[in-house]
Amino acid sequence: MSDEEKKEVGGIAADRLRSLIERIERLEEEKKAISSDIRDIFAEAKSAGFDVKIMRAVIKLRKMNAADRDEQEFLLDTYKKALDI
């Protein structure tokens, strides 16, 4: 059996699969660390008196493009008027 044949199991390139899985695992660990850092920043903001819920809403709005943001604000205003809020 050649080295190339040893690297394939059931038609799957085992080394390539292992490499992909390990890369995903490393990124998952990085994601966990970044999520922890974000939680720490929100805790810092809360202790400084900022409203974390509103901060999350602002972040969500900043991710949107202007047209989507305008549409959402228009719909929110329309619904509020319909409900006399």
Side-chain angles (χ1 to χ4, degrees):
M1 210 180 249
S2 72
D3 285 342
E4 190 64 32
E5 290 173 329
K6 290 179 187 175
K7 293 179 183 179
E8 288 196 16
V9 177
I12 296 173
D15 289 343
R16 178 75 172 139
L17 177 60
R18 184 181 338 281
S19 172
L20 292 169
I21 296 294
E22 288 172 352
R23 286 171 49 202
I24 291 169
E25 289 172 340
R26 278 192 302 276
L27 290 171
E28 289 289 344
E29 285 300 315
E30 288 178 30
K31 184 169 71 171
K32 192 185 317 181
I34 289 170
S35 292
S36 176
D37 291 346
I38 290 170
R39 277 192 304 276
D40 291 346
I41 294 169
F42 277 120
E44 179 183 340
K46 186 175 181 177
S47 70
F50 293 101
D51 186 318
V52 172
K53 187 175 180 179
I54 299 302
M55 287 178 63
R56 290 183 190 276
V58 169
I59 291 167
K60 181 179 175 185
L61 288 171
R62 286 173 51 107
K63 288 180 184 179
M64 293 178 163
N65 66 43
D68 290 343
R69 192 170 42 246
D70 290 345
E71 180 182 359
Q72 184 176 4
E73 289 174 7
F74 173 77
L75 287 172
L76 181 60
D77 287 342
T78 301
Y79 289 10
K80 286 167 48 177
K81 287 176 186 172
L83 298 171
D84 291 325
I85 297 176

